[in-house]
Amino acid sequence: MASGEFQPLQGMSDIYAPEIYLWRMIEARARDLFARYGYEELRTPSLEKLSVFKRSIGDTTDVVQKEMYAFEDRGGREIALRPEGTAGTIRHLAGRGAEGLNARVFYIAPMFRCERPQAGRKRQFHQVGVEDTGEPNPLADAECIALQQHLLEEWGLTGSNIQISTRGMPSDRQAVADGLRNALQPYLGELCDDCQRRINENVLRVIDCKNEMCQKIVDRIPSAVDFMSDESRQYLETVIQSLENMGIKADVNPKLVRGLDYYVHTVWEITHDALGAQNAIAGGGRYEIALGKKAIPGVGFAMGMERVITSLEACGITAGQFAPKGGIWLVSLGEEAVAENMKLARELRGKGIRCSMELEAKSMKAQMRKADSAGAEKVIIRGEDEIEKQTLTIKDMGQGTQEEIQLSNLWKILD
RNA sequence: GUGAUUGUAGCUCAGUUGGUUAGAGCGCCUGGUUGUGGUCCAGGAAGUCGCGGGUUCGAGUCCCGUCUUUCACCCCA
């Protein structure tokens, strides 16, 4: 392991071969699928004004209060590294006026949260996410979940689980909070210490408390959804119907809580057993974000790429499967052959062929070993004989056979 | 931020109650006679023992601090 000077910051890591091949597969397939769903790529800056996050994610959320890399720049401006992708995306779309109210964008980008690292949690992590704005129809929520499900399929990920619920409309919030508090009142003394505090600060957190006793109590009282308006419940029902219609399985879980302030109506989460305590590979939901006068409605999701990778590995999908293979290795015997092969390599590469060679005139054995470990399909050998006769010896590494051909015939043979 | 945990060659790890020049496997490099890979054989290179203090005649082994790893809490993807 790299140490001292060579070590990246805590919770951050260098991503390199062979693992990088898995990343590239994930990105390539995501881009391809998003194009099929009519999403355009958006790249926003990693740094934003602090207010962008405070206003959208919520001033009092843990993400903003405890986890952000927020600081003053040299001009005394309050800025922060983005902890998630939605805020910046909406900041961008809001600036595009009417156009931003009818957009489908996706991003693949690093995010930053200054937390203690653990399984599936880094300080710099990466998300692939989408936002579909301006569409108030609950069917958009269902389509968004469908897209996400489709993406997991494209990646070859199995064993994941969708859980869906609703956060209701802003006008429901008070009724839900009051309803839950009243329902919990008779059990007050039995709740854990944390929940004693949560019941006043953030009742919803009592719902997903991991304490066994708290869970027993929560199971006895009505769910948050039961306190919502008919309209909110109908909205969720429509989304669920649509998912069923498309053949997508989703478990309704009224205990699901999403902490960011901007969520309204549908919220969901995709979990995978391979992950440990941080078992969500993706989260999503409908939101309303007001940075200016007008609130922008939208629906979107974000998937944690590191967690996707962990899950993929648990499915037996490895980076090695996506390593570049094949191509040609040029073996040169003697200085002159090296020079000739450098010219040839340039031509081959110009024709789109992957090829490599040793620049030092090492022994043939050494060069063949290199060719083999690089997984070359063919080896072209040139020594004094070949150069004099204007020929090449071309060897098929799979078959082990080789033949001598005229240099001028090379292109015919390669086609 | 709280509580645990880890750190020895590129990688995975040994290293006995503190005692000479710190080891193995894999990988890497070079060979096994004229220009041929995967197997085999031989040889070789490679380590600030995370870092900084301290205890000791002597520290990879003990103590303190620090950084990092992993795990959980909190929260999230």
Side-chain angles (χ1 to χ4, degrees), chain A residues 271-323:
Chain A
T271 58
H272 198 280
D273 294 337
L275 291 174
Q278 317 303 319
N279 66 349
I281 56 178
R286 171 161 288 276
Y287 51 80
E288 248 171 58
I289 297 175
L291 290 173
K293 285 172 199 155
K294 246 191 283 180
I296 293 190
V299 59
F301 66 73
M303 315 183 85
M305 295 174 74
E306 284 82 357
R307 293 185 189 178
V308 167
I309 285 171
T310 305
S311 308
L312 283 174
E313 282 165 348
C315 293
I317 296 168
T318 61
Q321 295 166 31
F322 304 98

Side-chain angles (χ1 to χ4, degrees), chain A residues 129 169 198 216 231 274 293 332 334 376 415:
Chain A
M169 295 184 293
R198 287 182 183 128
K216 275 186 192 159
E231 195 185 336
K293 285 172 199 155
S332 330
D415 289 341

Side-chain angles (χ1 to χ4, degrees), chain A residues 211-404:
Chain A
N211 184 294
E212 232 176 275
M213 194 60 214
C214 296
Q215 275 307 306
K216 275 186 192 159
I217 293 166
V218 168
D219 286 337
R220 257 177 266 162
I221 65 166
S223 76
V225 179
D226 295 327
F227 297 109
M228 290 177 192
S229 62
D230 289 347
E231 195 185 336
S232 288
R233 280 182 300 182
Q234 184 52 49
Y235 192 103
L236 177 63
E237 195 49 40
T238 308
V239 176
I240 292 165
Q241 288 292 324
S242 174
L243 287 173
E244 268 175 29
N245 179 43
M246 288 186 283
I248 294 167
K249 262 195 203 150
D251 298 331
V252 178
N253 177 6
K255 289 187 198 170
L256 184 67
V257 175
R258 309 255 77 207
L260 311 187
D261 281 0
Y262 53 55
Y263 286 121
V264 294
H265 283 306
T266 324
V267 288
W268 70 88
E269 204 169 271
I270 297 185
T271 58
H272 198 280
D273 294 337
L275 291 174
Q278 317 303 319
N279 66 349
I281 56 178
R286 171 161 288 276
Y287 51 80
E288 248 171 58
I289 297 175
L291 290 173
K293 285 172 199 155
K294 246 191 283 180
I296 293 190
V299 59
F301 66 73
M303 315 183 85
M305 295 174 74
E306 284 82 357
R307 293 185 189 178
V308 167
I309 285 171
T310 305
S311 308
L312 283 174
E313 282 165 348
C315 293
I317 296 168
T318 61
Q321 295 166 31
F322 304 98
K325 287 192 191 79
I328 295 176
W329 195 277
L330 303 182
V331 168
S332 330
L333 300 163
E335 306 264 310
E336 198 186 345
V338 171
E340 286 301 313
N341 274 344
M342 282 186 78
K343 279 197 287 185
L344 179 58
R346 201 170 135 74
E347 282 182 70
L348 287 164
R349 290 163 180 159
K351 301 253 182 195
I353 295 170
R354 178 170 181 253
C355 88
S356 305
M357 60 180 284
E358 201 75 54
L359 298 181
E360 243 173 292
K362 288 190 178 178
S363 74
M364 182 149 192
K365 183 180 212 142
Q367 294 187 61
M368 289 300 291
R369 277 181 179 158
K370 264 266 165 67
D372 185 58
S373 68
E377 210 176 313
K378 289 187 169 70
V379 166
I380 288 176
I381 302 164
R382 290 173 111 185
E384 286 169 21
D385 295 355
E386 284 87 352
I387 288 171
E388 199 178 318
K389 288 191 278 177
Q390 290 286 299
T391 60
L392 299 170
T393 296
I394 180 161
K395 175 165 185 170
D396 183 306
M397 292 296 272
Q399 308 271 316
T401 57
Q402 68 182 47
E403 59 175 329
E404 194 170 343

